[in-house]
Amino acid sequence: MNFHPFVLPFLIGFVLFFVITACKFTLWIRHLTVPQKKTIRDNIISRKTFISVWEAIREGLIHRNIYKKNPLLGFMHTSLALGWFLLIIVGKIESSVYFGKTLEAPWETIFFRFFAHGIHSYPGAKFFAFSMDFLLMVILLGVLLALTKRLHSNVFGMKKTTQQAPLDRIALTTLWFVFPLRLLAESSTSALYSGGSFLTASVGKLLTGVVTPEVSLGFWWGYSIAIGFFLSTLPFSRYMHIPTEILYIFLKNWGVTSQETITGFTQIQVNSCSRCGICIDVCQLNTAAKINNVQSVYLIRDYRYQQLKESVADQCLLCGRCVEACPVNLELTLIRKQVREKNAPSHNIPIDCTLQIHKSNAEIIYFAGCMTHLTPSIISAMKKIFSSAKVSYHFLDEQKGICCGKPLIQQGLLSESRKLRDFNTQLIHNTNAKTLVVSCPICYKSFTEEYSLNVEVLHHSEYIERLLHNGRLRIKKSSLKMVYHDPCELSRKNSRKEEPRNVLQQIAKLIPTSVEKNNSICCGGSLASTGLPPEKRKQITNHAIQKLTENKPDFLITSCPLCKKTFHQAKLIEVLDIAEISAMHLHEEITPISRTWEGSKQLAHLFSGKKLPETFQK
Amino acid sequence: MEKIIYTDIAVIGAGPTGIVAAYNLARLGYKVSLFEKEESLGGNILKTYKLFPNFQSSNELLQLFGEMIVVNNLSLQTGVTVTNIRKDNNHWISTTNKGETIVSKAVLMATGFKPFDAHYKEEYGYGIYNGVITSLEFEKMLKCGEIYGSNGITPEKIAILNCVGSRDAKVGNNYCSRVCCINAVKFGIEIKEILPKAEVYCFYMDLRMTGQFYEELYRKSQQEYGVNYIRGKISEASQTADNRIQLKAEDTLLRLPIKMTVDLLILMIGIEASESTKELSAQTGIMGEYGFAKSHSLLKADNHTIHPGLFIAGTCKRPFTYPETVADARAAVVEIQHYLENKT
Amino acid sequence: MKNFGFKISASRQLDMDTIQSDLYEKLIQLEPTAKRCLMCGACAATCTAAEINGFNFRYCHLLMKRGILDNLAKELSKCMLCGKCYMVCPREINTRSIILKMKALMTETTPKHYSL
């Protein structure tokens, strides 16, 4: 067996890497919940495992998702990951061929050129030499790109690159040194003993006469130390994402799902983040409010290094844009909620009121929600729609409502939210109704995802679409131009993107925007953030309105009372809820909703029942 | 056909400020052109019935304005909007929407204020429920001498809410509008005079009785008229089954949330910079906070702007009461006279 | 001892010279918007929780400001965090943040760092 003391740093790093990674994996898997573990056992022998292998190759080595988001960034990742992977594989085959055995020592593979220098004739020697040089060149190109990205992130079309923690910087620096040192070591060996291919031989020629065997050995020591250092810091740095992401892909494909609280699966996700920084670029806190130290990447980094500050955890709007953008498909908003849950203060909401029982034979029950009571025009529009479509309804929270519990969940107060959930569930079930129409997307999301109700839950945009579809509601079409703003809670996970649009297309001319559907933005009023200062919220709102009204619409339509109120108060454009615009276009003649200063004068006339004399002219 | 008018001073806006300033400048012998975008004179005074604190009739004032504008040297044009003002060497060039060009030695902006649009406080139900009206609409009712509630009948219970669109960061107006507190007190008395049996509740955050006789009027409204004052801002209004208005507020002194059903809710809307004020001050680069025109120095040259020859007076600068805005107009006259004398 | 028909009890006055303001000082450092409350009561008026358990944000805030902490933790627990108060506040006070921070201060867990 070939051996030289310089391989020791590599060997130590190699062993440390395997031992620590194995320990960490074991720990995380032990921290999975019982149902999560059962899911793994049930699915481990199935087709899903093969899908995972393919996905691991696709995402772990080729980085297809990063390519889709940013080709140059994708190439950087591919050249480093796939390049290095192939370098190891090809190197392994070469050393096996050369030594004529299948299991040689790892250092014999890694430092093959040192142990087998000079020109040799073994099958495919030239091919191997060429391939190895080619792969090394590709990796060096990747390192060059990585350096460029760190210095000038705008070359990559990225406005922000992630700020790294100290340990990451060490790992990053040693990683950058690994391949140039390898080039120098192999080239110097080539200079002394010839061999190598187009890259190492050429550099070797330049070095001929300059290098002595001592200098060459120094390069090999350097290479070994760099790689050993990198391997031993890897499990503590962001590069842990390389092995962890593969584990995550397998668990995800086997069907493991997240819980409301932190589990081993959260730890695995946290360690799978490569800190690519794509989430910073899509975040409105960054693009509109110039806050660039609280995004998901920082939440995960600080959480992992146990230095998470409240200001990082609490400012996020939970709009979910980063979840859509994440190349690793991490459940970023869920992780944030889990972290908030872990640190939430104890809370105990007393509910000192008796449950009201409304037995009602109405066709539907209507739940406006807390926020809708601050936008009464939505309620009055819904009443008009119900009467126009001859729907009998029971208004559940007309006088006294109770929060759906979603804001508590967003702040991690889970047991309290359950209390409200149980109360509301009883309230709804007591009515014997079959359909629940909700005006607030936050409540809607809560009722559909957190509750298990025995009634059908519809957002009012869906319900209006259904009424139109059934022909129970008839509307006129006008020539108004409008844009539709997707509320985060309605459009993302619930995917109610088409229903409101179907309604609007029947009412007026719907103009597309650059920020719709999957690329929709937050209005800035989100309840999920408690720490965001009001002036920052205003910046986000104004920026969002600017984006939405690029095509100069007459109206900005949304389907969330919170979005409506937030946009309306900015006083930049006329904002209407989908219910309001529908009520304004009802087929039968109804009293128009006055919206202007002049209109209110007419209203004063209307309700007085008498004609007011005009006594204002001189 | 373009028409050019040469004059000493162009006064933009024929509300109280513009009329008083133009009248006094004309009396000093200057040639004054006064422009008003509306068809009739008087600005926001037109929308009122009686003025606080002495219940002076607005009609009397309007009559007075009518007498003032017939002075020599003063030419008035109504229904004409000044769309642009700019400086050209020693002169100011104003252009109107009727295609006229006015060349003057000085310009006085008296473009006034506009009332806050209560639709922006949607939670009060303005424009959604009958019976939620603004202070100006209530003035209109007073003019007619009859007050109607949400059901079109005489109201038994009336609520007045202060600070709608003033002192409210949510609609971007952090300032106090100055006139609403005392106006609400005036309303209380006026209601009780017409409807002695009606209950009147005035909701306030702070009552600012700063002017002469204001505090006395406040006291009178309590002592002689029995107007009720509740310290708390109404958070929202909703409609009851019988079409009345239900309010939610907190009685902050009692520390209890209260609800109250009324027949009429009067929103004391605040003062905002008028569209003309915003447009002309943006053009000339004198726009200050909230769209109001900014004077050169609050304490030393409050009618001056950064441009010599461009003067500002009245509520285009900030909220003023009627006596204040008229005093400011007279102050502007002195400054303009001084400017024109030194110029030639 | 002769009974004079009345007894001496603790003063009902709040002694502003000795109030415990250190927690409030911390609070306004963490959430400076708390300082600008003008006590209009819109938050308490709109509050969804007020109707079912009598929660009053303005009062809780004032209790901490005046250093009356006896029942504050219990009062704070009544909040449902629905956020309506923020929507109506004329001074744009970050109400929910203040509630969460007051709770953290009350339970003496420092809100500066998250524990793991």
Side-chain angles (χ1 to χ4, degrees):
Chain A
M1 192 193 293
N2 296 291
F3 185 78
H4 191 280
F6 86 82
V7 306
L8 279 174
F10 156 74
L11 197 60
I12 294 164
F14 185 73
V15 171
L16 278 176
F17 164 70
F18 270 103
V19 171
I20 297 168
T21 308
C23 288
K24 286 199 164 192
F25 276 22
T26 318
L27 203 67
W28 295 332
I29 290 174
R30 276 187 56 194
H31 280 176
L32 291 177
T33 58
V34 178
Q36 282 173 333
K37 283 180 190 157
K38 188 177 180 297
T39 314
I40 298 179
R41 279 197 303 275
D42 291 350
N43 290 292
I44 197 159
I45 306 169
S46 74
R47 210 169 60 90
K48 289 170 185 166
T49 307
F50 294 102
I51 296 170
S52 307
V53 173
W54 166 233
E55 194 184 329
I57 293 169
R58 205 178 59 204
E59 297 308 330
L61 297 175
I62 306 174
H63 293 95
R64 195 187 62 165
N65 276 337
I66 303 186
Y67 258 109
K68 276 193 217 157
K69 305 265 156 45
N70 184 335
L72 195 59
L73 194 67
F75 176 73
M76 183 192 106
H77 280 84
T78 312
S79 60
L80 284 169
L82 187 65
W84 200 358
F85 179 75
L86 288 177
L87 199 70
I88 295 166
I89 298 296
V90 178
K92 167 76 189 154
I93 299 167
E94 186 185 17
S95 61
S96 299
V97 171
Y98 177 78
F99 294 115
K101 52 185 174 183
T102 44
L103 271 176
E104 66 282 358
W107 59 87
E108 287 176 304
T109 303
I110 301 295
F111 308 109
F112 177 72
R113 287 277 179 281
F114 179 85
F115 294 112
H117 50 70
I119 297 168
H120 298 280
S121 52
Y122 51 91
K126 277 209 160 149
F127 166 77
F128 280 121
F130 176 83
S131 312
M132 295 298 273
D133 268 18
F134 177 77
L135 290 169
L136 185 60
M137 189 191 70
V138 170
I139 297 171
L140 284 168
L141 200 64
V143 173
L144 201 68
L145 283 172
L147 268 166
T148 320
K149 174 180 170 245
R150 201 119 294 270
L151 297 173
H152 302 285
S153 57
N154 53 353
V155 175
F156 284 75
M158 292 177 76
K159 286 169 206 96
K160 286 282 163 197
T161 188
T162 324
Q163 295 299 311
Q164 305 295 0
L167 206 60
D168 291 328
R169 293 225 178 93
I170 296 172
L172 187 72
T173 318
T174 51
L175 179 64
W176 286 346
F177 274 111
V178 166
F179 297 100
L181 279 168
R182 180 179 173 132
L183 177 70
L184 284 174
E186 290 193 347
S187 302
S188 63
T189 304
S190 166
L192 292 171
Y193 310 102
S194 84
S197 185
F198 68 98
L199 186 65
T200 46
S202 316
V203 180
K205 272 201 185 104
L206 292 174
L207 296 174
T208 312
V210 187
V211 282
T212 59
E214 289 75 31
V215 174
S216 171
L217 186 61
F219 285 141
W220 283 107
W221 267 100
Y223 175 42
S224 171
I225 290 169
I227 200 168
F229 221 96
F230 175 69
L231 282 177
S232 49
T233 49
L234 185 144
F236 306 103
S237 73
R238 70 185 182 115
Y239 296 101
M240 189 59 189
H241 83 88
I242 300 167
T244 317
E245 189 186 337
I246 294 167
L247 178 65
Y248 174 57
I249 288 170
F250 277 88
L251 292 184
K252 193 180 62 183
N253 282 331
W254 287 331
V256 177
T257 50
S258 285
Q259 309 289 306
E260 286 175 319
T261 52
I262 289 174
T263 62
F265 196 49
T266 316
Q267 299 288 0
I268 291 167
Q269 292 204 34
V270 163
N271 282 279
S272 297
C273 170
S274 67
R275 289 183 215 153
C276 62
I278 284 176
C279 54
I280 308 174
D281 266 8
V282 296
C283 180
Q284 286 172 272
L285 291 181
N286 171 33
T287 54
K290 304 279 172 287
I291 299 173
N292 45 42
N293 50 6
V294 304
Q295 279 77 10
S296 297
V297 60
Y298 295 118
L299 175 95
I300 285 178
R301 182 195 70 185
D302 293 354
Y303 175 71
R304 207 185 136 190
Y305 295 142
Q306 312 208 347
Q307 52 186 0
L308 184 60
K309 285 187 184 148
E310 200 179 38
S311 58
V312 173
D314 282 0
Q315 297 201 30
C316 171
L317 300 157
L318 293 180
C319 70
R321 278 172 70 79
C322 54
V323 182
E324 304 260 357
C326 180
V328 195
N329 293 319
L330 300 178
E331 297 164 296
L332 298 167
T333 49
L334 195 70
I335 295 172
R336 196 178 283 269
K337 280 187 263 183
Q338 290 172 339
V339 171
R340 284 181 180 174
E341 191 275 333
K342 195 164 169 64
N343 297 282
S346 68
H347 209 69
N348 185 18
I349 302 172
I351 300 176
D352 307 333
C353 73
T354 47
L355 201 63
Q356 296 146 308
I357 297 173
H358 308 280
K359 288 280 179 216
S360 167
N361 295 322
E363 185 183 340
I364 62 152
I365 43 177
Y366 176 60
F367 188 91
C370 300
M371 286 298 161
T372 317
H373 283 283
L374 292 177
T375 53
S377 51
I378 298 180
I379 295 175
S380 92
M382 284 310 291
K383 284 181 175 173
K384 275 180 191 136
I385 288 169
F386 290 143
S387 84
S388 174
K390 301 189 174 53
V391 175
S392 63
Y393 68 98
H394 172 64
F395 194 163
L396 200 61
D397 60 340
E398 183 161 29
Q399 288 301 319
K400 192 180 274 188
I402 179 168
C403 177
C404 67
K406 188 79 187 171
L408 285 165
I409 294 176
Q410 288 173 331
Q411 301 312 321
L413 297 156
L414 298 180
S415 60
E416 290 314 296
S417 126
R418 273 181 220 120
K419 203 185 265 181
L420 304 189
R421 190 177 67 194
D422 295 344
F423 186 90
N424 278 328
T425 304
Q426 267 186 289
L427 200 65
I428 293 164
H429 285 178
N430 275 346
T431 58
N432 289 340
K434 296 280 175 287
T435 307
L436 172 64
V437 177
V438 187
S439 270
C440 172
I442 304 169
C443 303
Y444 172 74
K445 189 163 181 165
S446 199
F447 288 152
T448 49
E449 285 174 11
E450 315 290 343
Y451 287 56
S452 41
L453 296 173
N454 61 14
V455 298
E456 179 192 29
V457 183
L458 296 173
H459 181 255
H460 70 234
S461 59
E462 277 177 277
Y463 188 65
I464 294 170
E465 194 212 17
R466 183 179 291 184
L467 289 179
L468 289 171
H469 184 76
N470 295 344
R472 292 180 66 178
L473 196 65
R474 293 197 307 145
I475 46 178
K476 293 178 283 198
K477 187 159 179 153
S478 73
S479 56
L480 292 169
K481 283 195 294 183
M482 49 199 180
V483 290
Y484 177 68
H485 164 73
D486 289 282
C488 296
E489 300 284 351
L490 195 64
S491 65
R492 289 201 204 280
K493 222 177 159 192
N494 281 303
S495 297
R496 294 285 171 265
K497 301 183 187 89
E498 295 308 327
E499 290 84 350
R501 289 188 167 79
N502 290 343
V503 174
L504 291 176
Q505 265 151 4
Q506 296 180 54
I507 290 173
K509 191 169 185 292
L510 187 63
I511 337 177
T513 67
S514 62
V515 283
E516 60 183 10
K517 298 179 184 175
N518 288 338
N519 192 33
S520 68
I521 48 180
C522 173
C523 66
S526 170
L527 287 175
S529 168
T530 53
L532 197 61
E535 58 278 9
K536 294 286 180 190
R537 281 185 185 269
K538 279 202 171 149
Q539 285 174 16
I540 292 171
T541 307
N542 290 346
H543 185 256
I545 295 177
Q546 189 201 327
K547 284 271 170 199
L548 285 160
T549 55
E550 271 166 351
N551 292 328
K552 307 259 176 297
D554 300 320
F555 289 102
L556 172 56
I557 310 291
T558 182
S559 48
C560 168
L562 191 52
C563 296
K564 191 205 158 185
K565 192 137 191 69
T566 310
F567 282 143
H568 192 52
Q569 284 174 338
K571 294 187 187 169
L572 293 171
I573 186 171
E574 193 70 67
V575 189
L576 291 174
D577 187 86
I578 190 163
E580 282 176 84
I581 194 96
S582 304
M584 284 164 84
H585 288 79
L586 288 179
H587 208 269
E588 60 263 53
E589 282 300 317
I590 51 156
T591 320
I593 300 176
S594 89
R595 301 213 59 86
T596 59
W597 179 245
E598 280 302 311
S600 58
K601 283 189 199 160
Q602 296 164 9
L603 202 76
H605 283 247
L606 272 172
F607 79 76
S608 68
K610 283 185 190 175
K611 194 90 178 148
L612 288 175
E614 283 292 328
T615 52
F616 300 124
Q617 303 307 312
K618 62 170 180 173
Chain B
M1 180 70 196
E2 198 176 304
K3 195 176 149 195
I4 300 177
I5 305 167
Y6 293 93
T7 183
D8 289 333
I9 305 133
V11 179
I12 306 165
T17 317
I19 293 170
V20 170
Y23 167 70
N24 285 298
L25 284 165
R27 280 208 305 176
L28 287 169
Y30 294 111
K31 221 175 135 190
V32 183
S33 292
L34 177 59
F35 298 94
E36 171 57 48
K37 67 173 169 30
E38 302 294 332
E39 290 300 329
S40 45
L41 291 177
N44 287 300
I45 292 289
L46 281 171
K47 299 170 188 159
T48 60
Y49 173 52
K50 282 177 180 174
L51 297 184
F52 57 81
N54 55 0
F55 298 90
Q56 165 100 48
S57 154
S58 310
N59 273 341
E60 276 175 43
L61 283 175
L62 290 170
Q63 217 170 350
L64 185 70
F65 292 156
E67 289 160 16
M68 281 161 95
I69 50 154
V70 293
V71 70
N72 280 339
N73 291 332
L74 174 64
S75 76
L76 165 74
Q77 286 193 57
T78 55
V80 177
T81 310
V82 175
T83 53
N84 184 285
I85 47 176
R86 67 191 160 88
K87 189 155 196 189
D88 185 37
N89 291 323
N90 267 331
H91 287 88
W92 283 87
I93 317 282
S94 317
T95 37
T96 68
N97 61 341
K98 298 273 161 75
E100 291 164 329
T101 304
I102 302 102
V103 179
S104 61
K105 291 174 189 160
V107 171
L108 174 66
M109 251 175 79
T111 42
F113 73 90
K114 76 165 181 217
F116 173 76
D117 182 350
H119 285 109
Y120 285 112
K121 293 299 286 179
E122 190 183 332
E123 55 267 41
Y124 299 140
Y126 179 70
I128 303 165
Y129 313 134
N130 292 344
V132 181
I133 61 167
T134 66
S135 41
L136 289 181
E137 283 160 350
F138 187 67
E139 292 276 359
K140 207 168 178 178
M141 283 191 181
L142 288 172
K143 273 196 171 187
C144 308
E146 285 173 57
I147 303 170
Y148 303 102
S150 54
N151 283 319
I153 52 167
T154 306
E156 289 166 6
K157 223 172 181 180
I158 299 175
I160 303 171
L161 172 62
N162 266 314
C163 298
V164 178
S166 322
R167 305 180 71 197
D168 190 346
K170 285 281 150 56
V171 291
N173 297 343
N174 289 330
Y175 55 88
C176 166
S177 290
R178 270 183 90 74
V179 298
C180 334
C181 285
I182 179 65
N183 215 10
V185 170
K186 185 196 77 165
F187 279 172
I189 293 174
E190 285 172 325
I191 294 167
K192 289 296 261 189
E193 283 193 334
I194 299 171
L195 307 168
K197 282 186 185 157
E199 290 174 55
V200 182
Y201 293 88
C202 176
F203 289 85
Y204 67 96
M205 299 200 282
D206 297 290
L207 278 179
R208 297 182 165 171
M209 297 296 139
T210 53
Q212 196 187 15
F213 308 126
Y214 288 11
E215 182 62 25
E216 288 89 329
L217 203 65
Y218 173 28
R219 178 187 155 125
K220 197 172 160 187
S221 74
Q222 292 175 297
Q223 182 73 54
E224 291 175 26
Y225 292 93
V227 176
N228 300 289
Y229 291 88
I230 298 178
R231 194 195 173 280
K233 189 179 170 80
I234 294 174
S235 69
E236 67 223 60
S238 55
Q239 200 173 22
T240 59
D242 56 347
N243 282 327
R244 297 176 80 204
I245 309 296
Q246 193 176 68
L247 310 173
K248 281 172 88 176
E250 188 202 5
D251 189 328
T252 55
L253 305 179
L254 205 54
R255 201 228 314 154
L256 274 180
I258 50 177
K259 70 175 180 190
M260 179 190 276
T261 312
V262 297
D263 302 297
L264 188 63
L265 170 61
I266 305 168
L267 307 175
M268 303 303 298
I269 46 175
I271 283 175
E272 283 189 333
S274 70
E275 292 308 324
S276 308
T277 302
K278 281 192 217 165
E279 204 183 314
L280 294 179
S281 51
Q283 274 175 18
T284 48
I286 58 163
M287 194 193 268
E289 276 185 287
Y290 311 111
F292 288 110
K294 195 176 175 220
S295 67
H296 191 45
S297 162
L298 180 65
L299 297 181
K300 288 191 289 186
D302 197 26
N303 294 108
H304 293 261
T305 62
I306 49 168
H307 307 291
L310 178 62
F311 295 87
I312 52 176
T315 49
C316 68
K317 296 197 287 193
R318 67 192 79 105
F320 275 139
T321 61
Y322 178 80
E324 285 166 342
T325 196
V326 169
D328 196 48
R330 295 202 183 98
V333 170
V334 177
E335 296 297 338
I336 294 168
Q337 183 191 19
H338 189 250
Y339 172 78
L340 292 176
E341 272 177 7
N342 287 346
K343 202 178 167 202
T344 43
Chain C
M1 199 178 182
K2 190 145 171 109
N3 188 355
F4 289 102
F6 61 88
K7 62 177 192 235
I8 296 166
S9 63
S11 172
R12 296 281 294 153
Q13 269 178 333
L14 174 66
D15 187 352
M16 290 296 279
D17 301 330
T18 57
I19 58 167
Q20 195 190 336
S21 61
D22 51 331
L23 282 188
Y24 189 71
E25 293 298 323
K26 279 186 204 162
L27 176 70
I28 57 179
Q29 255 178 13
L30 294 166
E31 189 50 69
T33 59
K35 288 189 272 190
R36 58 186 186 224
C37 176
L38 57 73
M39 304 284 157
C40 71
C43 49
T46 197
C47 182
T48 311
E51 292 184 2
I52 63 158
N53 58 27
F55 177 64
N56 187 325
F57 170 75
R58 188 187 62 82
Y59 181 61
C60 287
H61 167 229
L62 198 56
L63 283 179
M64 181 166 268
K65 194 170 185 171
R66 299 279 184 263
I68 308 165
L69 308 175
D70 304 347
N71 284 321
L72 185 52
K74 198 177 148 224
E75 284 296 315
L76 284 171
S77 279
K78 294 176 176 175
C79 173
M80 294 196 262
L81 290 178
C82 75
K84 262 181 101 185
C85 45
Y86 176 76
M87 299 307 289
V88 298
C89 177
R91 283 274 171 97
E92 291 200 309
I93 295 167
N94 225 346
T95 48
R96 298 186 313 146
S97 168
I98 292 171
I99 290 163
L100 291 171
K101 285 182 176 117
M102 281 204 279
K103 280 192 79 79
L105 287 168
M106 289 301 291
T107 48
E108 288 173 343
T109 58
T110 161
K112 199 179 158 206
H113 280 89
Y114 266 51
S115 62
L116 287 171

